[in-house]
Amino acid sequence: MNCPSCGLELAAAQLVCPRCGHALEFGPDQPGADANPADSPWARPDAEWEWGAAPDENADAESTVPVPDGVEPTLAFGSPQQYLTGSAEPPAGPHAQAWAGQPGGPEGFAPPPDGRPVPPATSRRRLLPVLLLVVALVLAGGGLAAAALRFGWLGGGGPRPAEVMPGNTLAYVQLDLDPSLAQKAQAWQFLRDLPEVKAAMASGQPDPRRLLWDAVAKGGDLGDDDFDTDVKPWLGNRVGFGVIEHGDRQTWLTAVQVTDEAKAAAKLREWIATSRQDYDVTTRDGFALITMTPDTGYVLGELDKGSLSADERFRSDLDLLGDPGVLAGWADLAALTDRVRGPDSGADLVKGRAAFALRFSANTLSFDGRLIGVDESLRTGITGGGELDRLPASTGVAAGVSGGAKSLEAAWPQFGDDADSWLHRYGLEKADVDALLGRQFAISVPASALGEWFAGEPEVGLRIVSDDAERARTALHTLAGQLNGELATTLVDHIDGDVLTVATSGGYLAELRDGSARLGTSDSFTGALPNHARATSGVFVDLAATRLTDAAAEMGEYRDFVSALRSVGSEYVDEGPGAGTWSVRVVRS
């Protein structure tokens, strides 16, 4: 049978289309029923089926309904208890409708008086909560999402620190220990090998606030306060920090979410008095606001005029990021650099704004950001990340850039006479540097050479795509001779059309030219640089190749976590006029 909404072919037991989410509402006599009604148990009038009463919504969870003869139950949709405790074993299979009254199955399926079970018209509404639960479990990582439900980590809502930041805030960062359900589950999954996380999970009460407190309290600056008695009764889940414009200078504001404003203010003031700092504490709308005492009146006055969360630029910039993860931030780059450099610095201001977020997946920690309205001179219009994916699969460390010659052309006027003087010193011209940077430029070190980095000269390779590969080769040998005569004698190269390949040995040169095993086929690489095909620049480090795993043996209780780390990658993608995105990712097994 096919979904009446999108046409996807469905199995007989599928009550909801997995593609479009359409809830099927048909019985054996309606369109979409079994293709061969004669073979269906629904059409067997001689079947000796003994049904119980229709399901009672108040019935005990352990009650059951007799199974039709010849129907072998298999696992399908179940109650939330199945995922949380594993106690329920709901049936499925091609005749899952026969289990209408089973508590573990979809609600509302009861046989009519003639003994032929038909789903009622209200099944879509009753089935929706179960479907949403299943989707959440799948997206968030199964067992950990179930744990999130059990321990009450659903969260993800409520006020944000930006709501108590003044509208003239220049830069803002928030830490959220109560992010979305998916972020919670994936964070615990990524960090599962850390000893602190293991202990928290084993205790049955994995509170991120406690983990943060334990990390801060190790410094010894908070006295002998106990988390359960002195902190937990008032500490919320979110903290924000903002840099605020105050005349010709800057000040700041820290906003701590609290559940008891009086207790929070008292404890924070106690800590401030101990530190002998000139800070104020003011409570507002569920947050404790910490400011420098001379600036308190000004900051609160600016907040009364409007909050940062009401700024359309701020909201739209963060919306572009999607899920804000566990840490997010925003900055007005032009206003911020103007205050840092001063109005009389004479330097060109950085334009535009930036937004960023720190997020988890089950095997990735990523720091993602976006530039909005930046100087268009930063654009290269060329993609490919220095063709990093074309480097050998044995690569341990690599870096690449696209459009280097074009970027140099735009930046050259800013270098002034110093650039010409440097070129003259090394016997080069600007056209030599243009050819050397080319359209694509990548440098790599094989994993086998990383362990000998400090023991001698390591293997190094270059892959350059240039409009003038011959000139690039001449410029490279000239520069190498000026920098290191011995190195210049070891360089070997090959030109194939517009591609110049260079290495410190013939063996590595052959490996760089061999297309049978490329870095782009490695999961460690694609996980760390998923957008490498569109990237303007990129950096990749194979952590396993750097012998980090060997070093992990000496890291005691952190050994399991460190040895699970696979790679690190960073990339920047040109997204069009005045826009770009960046990402730094850590990948684990």
Side-chain angles (χ1 to χ4, degrees), residues 344-392:
D344 300 325
S345 65
D348 293 335
L349 293 179
V350 176
K351 299 179 180 178
R353 305 179 303 278
F356 54 87
L358 185 71
R359 298 179 282 214
F360 288 92
S361 73
N363 67 337
T364 306
L365 169 62
S366 62
F367 178 63
D368 305 317
R370 179 177 289 269
L371 297 176
I372 308 99
V374 295
D375 192 337
E376 292 190 27
S377 65
L378 297 176
R379 296 196 66 198
T380 66
I382 302 176
T383 60
E387 297 197 337
L388 290 177
D389 59 329
R390 295 178 178 269
L391 294 173

Side-chain angles (χ1 to χ4, degrees), residues 202-251:
S203 70
Q205 296 178 335
D207 187 342
R209 297 175 304 167
R210 182 186 297 276
L211 295 180
L212 183 61
W213 169 261
D214 290 343
V216 173
K218 285 181 179 179
D221 296 331
L222 301 178
D224 298 325
D225 287 323
D226 178 74
F227 176 79
D228 288 318
T229 59
D230 300 314
V231 180
K232 186 176 180 180
W234 57 265
L235 182 62
N237 292 297
R238 299 185 175 107
V239 178
F241 178 83
V243 176
I244 301 164
E245 180 181 8
H246 187 183
D248 58 353
R249 63 184 182 88
Q250 298 170 356
T251 186

Side-chain angles (χ1 to χ4, degrees), residues 11-15 42 67-68 70-78 82 89-100 102 104-106:
Q14 288 183 287
L15 305 178
W42 309 116
V67 186
V71 177
E72 182 177 353
T74 57
L75 187 64
F77 289 112
Q82 171 195 350
E89 298 182 356
H95 309 299
Q97 291 93 332
W99 286 77
Q102 190 75 358

Side-chain angles (χ1 to χ4, degrees), residues 382-410:
I382 302 176
T383 60
E387 297 197 337
L388 290 177
D389 59 329
R390 295 178 178 269
L391 294 173
S394 61
T395 299
V397 177
V401 62
S402 300
K406 187 174 181 179
S407 297
L408 179 64
E409 188 69 30

Side-chain angles (χ1 to χ4, degrees), residues 16-275:
V16 174
C17 176
R19 175 190 290 171
C20 67
H22 181 80
L24 308 181
E25 297 182 0
F26 56 79
D29 294 333
Q30 299 181 14
D34 291 31
N36 189 352
D39 295 334
S40 172
W42 309 116
R44 288 164 43 201
D46 57 336
E48 297 180 357
W49 292 6
E50 296 180 3
W51 288 86
D56 181 0
E57 294 183 356
N58 298 318
D60 184 81
E62 298 296 327
S63 62
T64 60
V65 176
V67 186
D69 293 339
V71 177
E72 182 177 353
T74 57
L75 187 64
F77 289 112
S79 66
Q81 286 82 1
Q82 171 195 350
Y83 301 94
L84 299 182
T85 65
S87 59
E89 298 182 356
H95 309 299
Q97 291 93 332
W99 286 77
Q102 190 75 358
E107 300 179 14
F109 285 72
D114 63 2
R116 296 171 62 196
V118 179
T122 59
S123 62
R124 179 187 302 178
R125 183 177 60 187
R126 294 187 176 186
L127 187 59
L128 183 59
V130 178
L131 296 180
L132 292 178
L133 173 62
V134 173
V135 171
L137 292 167
V138 172
L139 293 179
L144 282 171
L149 290 171
R150 175 183 288 184
F151 290 118
W153 300 339
L154 283 169
R160 305 281 173 173
E163 298 180 26
V164 291
M165 291 282 168
N168 64 338
T169 298
L170 305 177
Y172 166 78
V173 177
Q174 69 175 32
L175 173 66
D176 191 350
L177 299 180
D178 186 28
S180 65
L181 170 60
Q183 279 297 292
K184 288 189 184 75
Q186 291 163 350
W188 289 113
Q189 176 75 356
F190 184 89
L191 302 172
R192 63 187 181 273
D193 297 319
L194 287 175
E196 294 86 354
V197 173
K198 289 180 181 179
M201 295 296 289
S203 70
Q205 296 178 335
D207 187 342
R209 297 175 304 167
R210 182 186 297 276
L211 295 180
L212 183 61
W213 169 261
D214 290 343
V216 173
K218 285 181 179 179
D221 296 331
L222 301 178
D224 298 325
D225 287 323
D226 178 74
F227 176 79
D228 288 318
T229 59
D230 300 314
V231 180
K232 186 176 180 180
W234 57 265
L235 182 62
N237 292 297
R238 299 185 175 107
V239 178
F241 178 83
V243 176
I244 301 164
E245 180 181 8
H246 187 183
D248 58 353
R249 63 184 182 88
Q250 298 170 356
T251 186
W252 53 265
L253 165 65
T254 300
V256 181
Q257 188 182 47
V258 299
T259 56
D260 188 315
E261 293 186 353
K263 289 183 179 179
K267 179 54 67 174
L268 289 172
R269 286 167 183 155
E270 177 186 326
W271 288 341
I272 290 172
T274 302
S275 67

Side-chain angles (χ1 to χ4, degrees), residues 257-387:
Q257 188 182 47
V258 299
T259 56
D260 188 315
E261 293 186 353
K263 289 183 179 179
K267 179 54 67 174
L268 289 172
R269 286 167 183 155
E270 177 186 326
W271 288 341
I272 290 172
T274 302
S275 67
R276 298 181 181 179
Q277 300 293 326
D278 190 16
Y279 299 151
D280 264 347
V281 177
T282 309
T283 57
R284 178 175 291 195
D285 300 332
F287 284 88
L289 310 182
I290 305 174
T291 54
M292 297 181 67
T293 300
D295 296 321
T296 300
Y298 171 78
V299 172
L300 296 180
E302 290 299 307
L303 180 57
D304 289 337
K305 297 177 183 178
S307 69
L308 179 62
S309 62
D311 188 321
E312 179 59 32
R313 300 178 311 160
F314 171 80
R315 294 202 310 269
S316 62
D317 292 348
L318 283 185
D319 285 345
L320 290 174
L321 290 175
D323 193 322
V326 297
L327 184 144
W330 176 87
D332 183 336
L333 299 177
L336 191 62
T337 54
D338 182 28
R339 299 305 180 275
V340 171
R341 294 178 178 178
D344 300 325
S345 65
D348 293 335
L349 293 179
V350 176
K351 299 179 180 178
R353 305 179 303 278
F356 54 87
L358 185 71
R359 298 179 282 214
F360 288 92
S361 73
N363 67 337
T364 306
L365 169 62
S366 62
F367 178 63
D368 305 317
R370 179 177 289 269
L371 297 176
I372 308 99
V374 295
D375 192 337
E376 292 190 27
S377 65
L378 297 176
R379 296 196 66 198
T380 66
I382 302 176
T383 60
E387 297 197 337

